[in-house]
Amino acid sequence: MMNIIGICGQATRSYNQIMTLNLEEDTMDVTPINVKRVYQLIVEQLVTMIKEGTLKVGDRLPPERTLAEMFNVSRASIREAFSAMEIIGLIEVRPGEGSYITDLNIGPFINTIAPLFVRNEDMETDLLDFRKLIEAEAVKLAANRQSTNKDKLDISTLKKHLDDMHKALEENDIDLGVKGDIQFHNEIFILTDNIILIKTSECIAYILESSVKFNRSKILKGSSNSNILYHQHSRIYEAIKLGNGDLAAEIMEQHLDFVKQITC
């Protein structure tokens, strides 16, 4: 009899355990375990140190051997972490000098994959639409800063790029014209003094460069187009100089619509 009672008791406990497990499976909100590789954990710790200010831009990281001892990992894991951080722009590896913390220069990584965004003309059209959205707002912000700041913006660099475009037009120097065009647009982002826009411009730098080169090669087939292109940039410059954000944005939109019309 005692054996029967014991067996029944065990069965009851097992049933209760099963019911509890089923209940927990239905109600417990758990996070799946994600086993990370060693180098990822190293990168995460270094990123945290940068975020908290323990590591600052320009700081030189300790040598591989020292870091391997600090993290209690192999030097191969440190090298793997360094490679990943260099690709995404967190550090700069200077041969013979060491590895230094950078100001989040993710341009090289974006540049590597940028050709995927302009591999056909449909993507070129999409890029022009994107440029229209972001550059119209950027130039508007830059011009508004010119009108609201006590000290006027230093637009001398923007003027220099415009002058390069004029010189290229006079000398029929396509390379100089392309360079001036690219730098003119990049400088507008810098004039916004908006770190997000500036970083965004760095991310699209290669894409923008590819786009401008591609588009200008079509535009410059006709001399009248070259003149139109220069004068559009000149009007953008004057609108920024006057501090008229709405006008600057309107001209920028007209400029990019013109480029799209000619090339697409």
Side-chain angles (χ1 to χ4, degrees), residues 85-117:
M85 292 177 70
E86 185 179 21
I87 289 172
I88 61 179
L90 286 174
I91 65 171
E92 177 187 0
V93 179
R94 303 174 188 171
E97 296 184 36
S99 301
Y100 295 80
I101 302 297
T102 67
D103 190 20
L104 190 58
N105 179 24
I106 59 177
F109 171 69
I110 299 299
N111 289 350
T112 302
I113 63 173
L116 297 176
F117 294 99

mmCIF file of all heavy atoms in Angstrom, residues 85-117:
data_model
loop_
_atom_site.group_PDB
_atom_site.id
_atom_site.type_symbol
_atom_site.label_atom_id
_atom_site.label_comp_id
_atom_site.label_asym_id
_atom_site.label_seq_id
_atom_site.Cartn_x
_atom_site.Cartn_y
_atom_site.Cartn_z
ATOM 1 N N MET A 85 37.528 47.043 -35.787
ATOM 2 C CA MET A 85 37.400 48.449 -35.406
ATOM 3 C C MET A 85 37.967 49.380 -36.475
ATOM 4 O O MET A 85 37.474 50.488 -36.675
ATOM 5 C CB MET A 85 38.099 48.686 -34.067
ATOM 6 C CG MET A 85 37.416 47.999 -32.890
ATOM 7 S SD MET A 85 38.294 48.224 -31.336
ATOM 8 C CE MET A 85 37.996 49.969 -31.024
ATOM 9 N N GLU A 86 39.001 48.915 -37.162
ATOM 10 C CA GLU A 86 39.569 49.729 -38.235
ATOM 11 C C GLU A 86 38.601 49.818 -39.411
ATOM 12 O O GLU A 86 38.424 50.884 -40.005
ATOM 13 C CB GLU A 86 40.901 49.148 -38.697
ATOM 14 C CG GLU A 86 41.609 50.012 -39.729
ATOM 15 C CD GLU A 86 42.950 49.441 -40.159
ATOM 16 O OE1 GLU A 86 43.171 48.223 -39.982
ATOM 17 O OE2 GLU A 86 43.787 50.204 -40.665
ATOM 18 N N ILE A 87 37.942 48.713 -39.733
ATOM 19 C CA ILE A 87 36.999 48.688 -40.847
ATOM 20 C C ILE A 87 35.833 49.633 -40.607
ATOM 21 O O ILE A 87 35.406 50.359 -41.508
ATOM 22 C CB ILE A 87 36.485 47.251 -41.088
ATOM 23 C CG1 ILE A 87 37.604 46.378 -41.673
ATOM 24 C CG2 ILE A 87 35.281 47.253 -42.030
ATOM 25 C CD1 ILE A 87 37.254 44.916 -41.776
ATOM 26 N N ILE A 88 35.307 49.635 -39.370
ATOM 27 C CA ILE A 88 34.147 50.477 -39.091
ATOM 28 C C ILE A 88 34.542 51.897 -38.682
ATOM 29 O O ILE A 88 33.677 52.725 -38.393
ATOM 30 C CB ILE A 88 33.248 49.853 -38.005
ATOM 31 C CG1 ILE A 88 34.012 49.690 -36.683
ATOM 32 C CG2 ILE A 88 32.688 48.537 -38.475
ATOM 33 C CD1 ILE A 88 33.164 49.099 -35.576
ATOM 34 N N GLY A 89 35.840 52.188 -38.661
ATOM 35 C CA GLY A 89 36.286 53.556 -38.458
ATOM 36 C C GLY A 89 36.447 54.004 -37.024
ATOM 37 O O GLY A 89 36.465 55.197 -36.746
ATOM 38 N N LEU A 90 36.585 53.067 -36.094
ATOM 39 C CA LEU A 90 36.758 53.426 -34.685
ATOM 40 C C LEU A 90 38.217 53.679 -34.332
ATOM 41 O O LEU A 90 38.513 54.428 -33.398
ATOM 42 C CB LEU A 90 36.203 52.326 -33.781
ATOM 43 C CG LEU A 90 34.675 52.245 -33.689
ATOM 44 C CD1 LEU A 90 34.258 51.026 -32.875
ATOM 45 C CD2 LEU A 90 34.100 53.505 -33.075
ATOM 46 N N ILE A 91 39.126 53.040 -35.064
ATOM 47 C CA ILE A 91 40.545 53.257 -34.806
ATOM 48 C C ILE A 91 41.285 53.448 -36.132
ATOM 49 O O ILE A 91 40.799 53.059 -37.194
ATOM 50 C CB ILE A 91 41.197 52.083 -34.031
ATOM 51 C CG1 ILE A 91 41.185 50.808 -34.886
ATOM 52 C CG2 ILE A 91 40.533 51.870 -32.691
ATOM 53 C CD1 ILE A 91 42.006 49.677 -34.271
ATOM 54 N N GLU A 92 42.432 54.058 -36.025
ATOM 55 C CA GLU A 92 43.330 54.202 -37.176
ATOM 56 C C GLU A 92 44.637 53.503 -36.825
ATOM 57 O O GLU A 92 45.265 53.818 -35.812
ATOM 58 C CB GLU A 92 43.602 55.666 -37.473
ATOM 59 C CG GLU A 92 44.589 55.877 -38.621
ATOM 60 C CD GLU A 92 44.987 57.337 -38.790
ATOM 61 O OE1 GLU A 92 44.500 58.182 -38.017
ATOM 62 O OE2 GLU A 92 45.809 57.611 -39.686
ATOM 63 N N VAL A 93 45.016 52.537 -37.641
ATOM 64 C CA VAL A 93 46.256 51.800 -37.414
ATOM 65 C C VAL A 93 47.363 52.464 -38.228
ATOM 66 O O VAL A 93 47.312 52.487 -39.459
ATOM 67 C CB VAL A 93 46.107 50.319 -37.805
ATOM 68 C CG1 VAL A 93 47.428 49.585 -37.580
ATOM 69 C CG2 VAL A 93 44.995 49.652 -37.001
ATOM 70 N N ARG A 94 48.350 53.007 -37.528
ATOM 71 C CA ARG A 94 49.470 53.670 -38.192
ATOM 72 C C ARG A 94 50.695 52.769 -38.091
ATOM 73 O O ARG A 94 51.211 52.534 -36.988
ATOM 74 C CB ARG A 94 49.761 55.008 -37.516
ATOM 75 C CG ARG A 94 48.575 55.953 -37.478
ATOM 76 C CD ARG A 94 48.879 57.198 -36.677
ATOM 77 N NE ARG A 94 47.683 58.019 -36.474
ATOM 78 C CZ ARG A 94 47.637 59.074 -35.665
ATOM 79 N NH1 ARG A 94 48.737 59.445 -34.999
ATOM 80 N NH2 ARG A 94 46.504 59.745 -35.525
ATOM 81 N N PRO A 95 51.151 52.245 -39.221
ATOM 82 C CA PRO A 95 52.305 51.328 -39.209
ATOM 83 C C PRO A 95 53.502 51.930 -38.489
ATOM 84 O O PRO A 95 53.904 53.061 -38.771
ATOM 85 C CB PRO A 95 52.589 51.122 -40.705
ATOM 86 C CG PRO A 95 51.272 51.374 -41.379
ATOM 87 C CD PRO A 95 50.627 52.461 -40.566
ATOM 88 N N GLY A 96 54.039 51.174 -37.573
ATOM 89 C CA GLY A 96 55.214 51.626 -36.834
ATOM 90 C C GLY A 96 54.917 52.568 -35.684
ATOM 91 O O GLY A 96 55.810 52.899 -34.903
ATOM 92 N N GLU A 97 53.668 53.009 -35.565
ATOM 93 C CA GLU A 97 53.300 53.946 -34.494
ATOM 94 C C GLU A 97 52.313 53.348 -33.505
ATOM 95 O O GLU A 97 52.411 53.574 -32.303
ATOM 96 C CB GLU A 97 52.698 55.223 -35.093
ATOM 97 C CG GLU A 97 53.667 56.032 -35.945
ATOM 98 C CD GLU A 97 53.031 57.326 -36.419
ATOM 99 O OE1 GLU A 97 52.251 57.919 -35.642
ATOM 100 O OE2 GLU A 97 53.290 57.735 -37.563
ATOM 101 N N GLY A 98 51.345 52.615 -33.998
ATOM 102 C CA GLY A 98 50.341 52.038 -33.113
ATOM 103 C C GLY A 98 48.930 52.289 -33.613
ATOM 104 O O GLY A 98 48.728 52.716 -34.757
ATOM 105 N N SER A 99 47.953 52.033 -32.745
ATOM 106 C CA SER A 99 46.539 52.194 -33.093
ATOM 107 C C SER A 99 45.939 53.335 -32.277
ATOM 108 O O SER A 99 46.113 53.393 -31.059
ATOM 109 C CB SER A 99 45.777 50.890 -32.820
ATOM 110 O OG SER A 99 46.332 49.828 -33.576
ATOM 111 N N TYR A 100 45.213 54.223 -32.957
ATOM 112 C CA TYR A 100 44.685 55.427 -32.319
ATOM 113 C C TYR A 100 43.165 55.508 -32.470
ATOM 114 O O TYR A 100 42.611 55.123 -33.516
ATOM 115 C CB TYR A 100 45.321 56.672 -32.930
ATOM 116 C CG TYR A 100 46.805 56.792 -32.677
ATOM 117 C CD1 TYR A 100 47.726 56.074 -33.440
ATOM 118 C CD2 TYR A 100 47.297 57.611 -31.659
ATOM 119 C CE1 TYR A 100 49.091 56.168 -33.197
ATOM 120 C CE2 TYR A 100 48.664 57.720 -31.418
ATOM 121 C CZ TYR A 100 49.548 56.991 -32.187
ATOM 122 O OH TYR A 100 50.901 57.084 -31.944
ATOM 123 N N ILE A 101 42.506 56.034 -31.447
ATOM 124 C CA ILE A 101 41.064 56.228 -31.486
ATOM 125 C C ILE A 101 40.753 57.377 -32.452
ATOM 126 O O ILE A 101 41.385 58.432 -32.404
ATOM 127 C CB ILE A 101 40.504 56.576 -30.084
ATOM 128 C CG1 ILE A 101 40.837 55.472 -29.080
ATOM 129 C CG2 ILE A 101 38.999 56.797 -30.154
ATOM 130 C CD1 ILE A 101 40.223 54.131 -29.397
ATOM 131 N N THR A 102 39.785 57.166 -33.339
ATOM 132 C CA THR A 102 39.406 58.190 -34.315
ATOM 133 C C THR A 102 38.046 58.787 -33.968
ATOM 134 O O THR A 102 37.351 58.319 -33.068
ATOM 135 C CB THR A 102 39.340 57.616 -35.741
ATOM 136 O OG1 THR A 102 38.248 56.678 -35.803
ATOM 137 C CG2 THR A 102 40.622 56.920 -36.117
ATOM 138 N N ASP A 103 37.677 59.809 -34.723
ATOM 139 C CA ASP A 103 36.391 60.479 -34.515
ATOM 140 C C ASP A 103 35.313 59.811 -35.361
ATOM 141 O O ASP A 103 34.624 60.458 -36.146
ATOM 142 C CB ASP A 103 36.524 61.963 -34.878
ATOM 143 C CG ASP A 103 35.299 62.761 -34.465
ATOM 144 O OD1 ASP A 103 34.553 62.291 -33.596
ATOM 145 O OD2 ASP A 103 35.090 63.855 -35.017
ATOM 146 N N LEU A 104 35.180 58.500 -35.186
ATOM 147 C CA LEU A 104 34.173 57.705 -35.897
ATOM 148 C C LEU A 104 34.179 57.982 -37.398
ATOM 149 O O LEU A 104 33.232 58.487 -37.981
ATOM 150 C CB LEU A 104 32.771 57.949 -35.336
ATOM 151 C CG LEU A 104 31.664 57.007 -35.822
ATOM 152 C CD1 LEU A 104 32.011 55.566 -35.509
ATOM 153 C CD2 LEU A 104 30.333 57.367 -35.198
ATOM 154 N N ASN A 105 35.285 57.668 -38.023
ATOM 155 C CA ASN A 105 35.433 57.858 -39.460
ATOM 156 C C ASN A 105 34.967 56.609 -40.194
ATOM 157 O O ASN A 105 35.753 55.719 -40.523
ATOM 158 C CB ASN A 105 36.894 58.162 -39.797
ATOM 159 C CG ASN A 105 37.107 58.345 -41.284
ATOM 160 O OD1 ASN A 105 36.170 58.687 -42.009
ATOM 161 N ND2 ASN A 105 38.324 58.110 -41.740
ATOM 162 N N ILE A 106 33.658 56.549 -40.455
ATOM 163 C CA ILE A 106 33.104 55.349 -41.092
ATOM 164 C C ILE A 106 33.107 55.465 -42.619
ATOM 165 O O ILE A 106 32.612 54.579 -43.307
ATOM 166 C CB ILE A 106 31.679 55.049 -40.595
ATOM 167 C CG1 ILE A 106 30.747 56.229 -40.874
ATOM 168 C CG2 ILE A 106 31.684 54.716 -39.114
ATOM 169 C CD1 ILE A 106 29.311 55.973 -40.469
ATOM 170 N N GLY A 107 33.680 56.557 -43.120
ATOM 171 C CA GLY A 107 33.740 56.746 -44.567
ATOM 172 C C GLY A 107 34.377 55.600 -45.328
ATOM 173 O O GLY A 107 33.817 55.131 -46.324
ATOM 174 N N PRO A 108 35.563 55.116 -44.879
ATOM 175 C CA PRO A 108 36.211 54.030 -45.629
ATOM 176 C C PRO A 108 35.342 52.788 -45.778
ATOM 177 O O PRO A 108 35.340 52.151 -46.829
ATOM 178 C CB PRO A 108 37.459 53.729 -44.774
ATOM 179 C CG PRO A 108 37.764 55.026 -44.112
ATOM 180 C CD PRO A 108 36.426 55.635 -43.804
ATOM 181 N N PHE A 109 34.594 52.449 -44.718
ATOM 182 C CA PHE A 109 33.710 51.274 -44.802
ATOM 183 C C PHE A 109 32.595 51.518 -45.815
ATOM 184 O O PHE A 109 32.296 50.663 -46.652
ATOM 185 C CB PHE A 109 33.117 50.960 -43.430
ATOM 186 C CG PHE A 109 32.040 49.918 -43.468
ATOM 187 C CD1 PHE A 109 32.348 48.598 -43.768
ATOM 188 C CD2 PHE A 109 30.719 50.251 -43.224
ATOM 189 C CE1 PHE A 109 31.353 47.629 -43.814
ATOM 190 C CE2 PHE A 109 29.721 49.297 -43.276
ATOM 191 C CZ PHE A 109 30.041 47.980 -43.569
ATOM 192 N N ILE A 110 31.971 52.703 -45.738
ATOM 193 C CA ILE A 110 30.909 53.034 -46.682
ATOM 194 C C ILE A 110 31.456 53.070 -48.099
ATOM 195 O O ILE A 110 30.812 52.613 -49.049
ATOM 196 C CB ILE A 110 30.271 54.388 -46.319
ATOM 197 C CG1 ILE A 110 29.635 54.327 -44.921
ATOM 198 C CG2 ILE A 110 29.224 54.783 -47.349
ATOM 199 C CD1 ILE A 110 28.530 53.322 -44.772
ATOM 200 N N ASN A 111 32.663 53.615 -48.251
ATOM 201 C CA ASN A 111 33.280 53.687 -49.568
ATOM 202 C C ASN A 111 33.459 52.307 -50.185
ATOM 203 O O ASN A 111 33.356 52.125 -51.401
ATOM 204 C CB ASN A 111 34.642 54.384 -49.482
ATOM 205 C CG ASN A 111 34.499 55.869 -49.216
ATOM 206 O OD1 ASN A 111 33.405 56.421 -49.271
ATOM 207 N ND2 ASN A 111 35.605 56.521 -48.915
ATOM 208 N N THR A 112 33.743 51.329 -49.328
ATOM 209 C CA THR A 112 33.971 49.975 -49.816
ATOM 210 C C THR A 112 32.726 49.384 -50.464
ATOM 211 O O THR A 112 32.802 48.706 -51.496
ATOM 212 C CB THR A 112 34.438 49.061 -48.662
ATOM 213 O OG1 THR A 112 35.634 49.603 -48.095
ATOM 214 C CG2 THR A 112 34.717 47.645 -49.159
ATOM 215 N N ILE A 113 31.555 49.648 -49.860
ATOM 216 C CA ILE A 113 30.319 49.053 -50.368
ATOM 217 C C ILE A 113 29.529 50.013 -51.262
ATOM 218 O O ILE A 113 28.520 49.623 -51.848
ATOM 219 C CB ILE A 113 29.417 48.584 -49.210
ATOM 220 C CG1 ILE A 113 28.982 49.777 -48.338
ATOM 221 C CG2 ILE A 113 30.127 47.539 -48.366
ATOM 222 C CD1 ILE A 113 27.966 49.408 -47.280
ATOM 223 N N ALA A 114 29.997 51.256 -51.379
ATOM 224 C CA ALA A 114 29.272 52.266 -52.147
ATOM 225 C C ALA A 114 28.984 51.867 -53.591
ATOM 226 O O ALA A 114 27.904 52.179 -54.103
ATOM 227 C CB ALA A 114 30.026 53.590 -52.113
ATOM 228 N N PRO A 115 29.933 51.202 -54.301
ATOM 229 C CA PRO A 115 29.630 50.844 -55.691
ATOM 230 C C PRO A 115 28.356 50.030 -55.861
ATOM 231 O O PRO A 115 27.748 50.034 -56.934
ATOM 232 C CB PRO A 115 30.869 50.026 -56.114
ATOM 233 C CG PRO A 115 31.965 50.564 -55.261
ATOM 234 C CD PRO A 115 31.319 50.849 -53.936
ATOM 235 N N LEU A 116 27.929 49.342 -54.803
ATOM 236 C CA LEU A 116 26.693 48.560 -54.878
ATOM 237 C C LEU A 116 25.477 49.465 -55.048
ATOM 238 O O LEU A 116 24.445 49.036 -55.557
ATOM 239 C CB LEU A 116 26.519 47.710 -53.610
ATOM 240 C CG LEU A 116 27.595 46.655 -53.349
ATOM 241 C CD1 LEU A 116 27.339 45.962 -52.014
ATOM 242 C CD2 LEU A 116 27.632 45.625 -54.472
ATOM 243 N N PHE A 117 25.597 50.739 -54.614
ATOM 244 C CA PHE A 117 24.470 51.650 -54.673
ATOM 245 C C PHE A 117 24.342 52.342 -56.027
ATOM 246 O O PHE A 117 23.322 52.955 -56.293
ATOM 247 C CB PHE A 117 24.606 52.718 -53.580
ATOM 248 C CG PHE A 117 24.495 52.174 -52.187
ATOM 249 C CD1 PHE A 117 25.627 51.914 -51.431
ATOM 250 C CD2 PHE A 117 23.255 51.891 -51.635
ATOM 251 C CE1 PHE A 117 25.530 51.409 -50.149
ATOM 252 C CE2 PHE A 117 23.147 51.381 -50.352
ATOM 253 C CZ PHE A 117 24.287 51.138 -49.606
#
